[in-house]
Amino acid sequence: MSCADNDPNPPCLEALVAGTFALMTCWAAPAADARLPSHRQRTLMARKIVSNLFFLKTHAHASPGLRQVMARAHERWVLLLESAGDASVVTRASDPLAAQPGGGLLH
């Protein structure tokens, strides 16, 4: 399904992938002249990346292969946040949105 299909929910798959990759690029090289220090920028961007990856790994229009790739990426970014001492966005197994279509959890 393309972005032009006017399906407001879930978000457009292509836009979500593109936005996530843009955030990952900015995370790798935070703005030096920003009002926030680079570690704070990275924390905020990582939270959004984890959120986007969560929605991508369960996106109705993503292929099973893409969902698997996004699930693995989500898992790695969650570990990154946990290692930085910020686990505030980690989806818990008790969250009904955390269930995969197949019934298992990947994180």
Side-chain angles (χ1 to χ4, degrees), residues 58-75:
T58 60
H59 200 286
H61 302 128
S63 69
L66 181 60
R67 286 182 191 166
Q68 184 178 21
V69 169
M70 295 301 154
R72 288 181 181 160
H74 178 258
E75 196 173 301

Side-chain angles (χ1 to χ4, degrees), residues 34-95:
R35 292 183 357 197
L36 296 173
S38 61
H39 71 278
R40 184 68 180 141
Q41 291 178 58
R42 281 190 164 150
T43 298
L44 294 171
M45 285 186 275
R47 286 179 178 184
K48 183 60 178 169
I49 290 165
V50 167
S51 174
N52 285 5
L53 291 169
F54 171 78
F55 287 110
L56 284 165
K57 75 179 189 170
T58 60
H59 200 286
H61 302 128
S63 69
L66 181 60
R67 286 182 191 166
Q68 184 178 21
V69 169
M70 295 301 154
R72 288 181 181 160
H74 178 258
E75 196 173 301
R76 289 177 183 252
W77 278 90
V78 165
L79 291 174
L80 178 78
L81 275 175
E82 287 176 342
S83 70
D86 183 2
S88 62
V89 297
V90 178
T91 306
R92 301 290 173 213
S94 60
D95 185 339

